[in-house]
Amino acid sequence: MSWAQSVTQCIQSGGMLTSVEDLVESNFLIEHADLYTSKTSGFWIGIYRNVNGQLLWQDNSALDFVNWGEGQPSGDELAFCVELSAATGNWSVLPCSSQKGFICKKPKIHSFLFTFCLVTDAKKDKASGHLNTWILLTLVLIILLGVGFMIYFLFKMKTGSGTGREVRQGSRQLEYSRALTAGDNGSDATNDKEKNEHSVV
């Protein structure tokens, strides 16, 4: 990645391109950078040359420690960004558009976490990007199916209890109509008795 792309990636992951504040930190980075010599020649670090030619750390820390390679920093007007060599750990000034890995530094409570990021093959990145997309789509599909089933079962439970309510209301209405019918039959019987009594008299 270019230096600018590396800065963006670090910021998105909650850090910044690394600053190197002392020999201990430098040795730590050199030890870990050495593991990647077969994959990249170097890593972007957070030191850069501004338009006035001044070297600054991206995180604004003091430039008290340096580990320049032989003949560095060069006076090349096109070279404004700094890489840490994966093989030697020395720093050199390069054009910011050069393609390198990068080292992010994320603040922790009392120490710093370094993240070595390496971009060596665009095809691998594209393939892993497609894999991540498929994983994400699969998870979204599973979640949607789960929500769909939950809605379906809640709907079934609600409709099922509604049918029970209708049956209970229907049976109450039937009992009420029977009671009314029985009441009507009873009043008919009373009327018949009265007629009988009147006819007897």
Side-chain angles (χ1 to χ4, degrees), residues 157-172:
M157 287 173 39
K158 187 175 182 179
T159 355
S161 24
T163 305
R165 230 179 289 137
E166 290 168 6
V167 168
R168 283 192 298 269
Q169 284 178 344
S171 65
R172 281 189 201 138

Side-chain angles (χ1 to χ4, degrees), residues 80-112:
F80 290 98
C81 300
V82 177
E83 77 151 340
L84 176 137
S85 168
T88 65
N90 292 330
W91 304 351
S92 55
V93 178
L94 293 176
C96 297
S97 60
S98 301
Q99 299 296 304
K100 300 290 175 183
F102 56 98
I103 304 171
C104 295
K105 188 178 197 179
K106 296 179 184 180
K108 274 189 143 181
I109 297 171
H110 292 291
S111 61
F112 287 95

Side-chain angles (χ1 to χ4, degrees), residues 84-180:
L84 176 137
S85 168
T88 65
N90 292 330
W91 304 351
S92 55
V93 178
L94 293 176
C96 297
S97 60
S98 301
Q99 299 296 304
K100 300 290 175 183
F102 56 98
I103 304 171
C104 295
K105 188 178 197 179
K106 296 179 184 180
K108 274 189 143 181
I109 297 171
H110 292 291
S111 61
F112 287 95
L113 170 70
F114 292 95
T115 306
F116 283 80
C117 296
L118 180 63
V119 179
T120 55
D121 190 357
K123 289 180 184 174
K124 286 182 185 174
D125 287 344
K126 197 179 263 187
S128 72
H130 288 300
L131 179 63
N132 290 341
T133 303
W134 282 111
I135 290 171
L136 181 63
L137 287 174
T138 304
L139 287 174
V140 167
L141 183 64
I142 290 170
I143 290 169
L144 289 174
L145 283 172
V147 169
F149 278 122
M150 189 169 63
I151 290 171
Y152 172 77
F153 286 119
L154 287 173
F155 179 75
K156 277 299 216 182
M157 287 173 39
K158 187 175 182 179
T159 355
S161 24
T163 305
R165 230 179 289 137
E166 290 168 6
V167 168
R168 283 192 298 269
Q169 284 178 344
S171 65
R172 281 189 201 138
Q173 286 176 348
L174 183 64
E175 289 174 17
Y176 181 69
S177 64
R178 283 185 189 157
L180 286 177

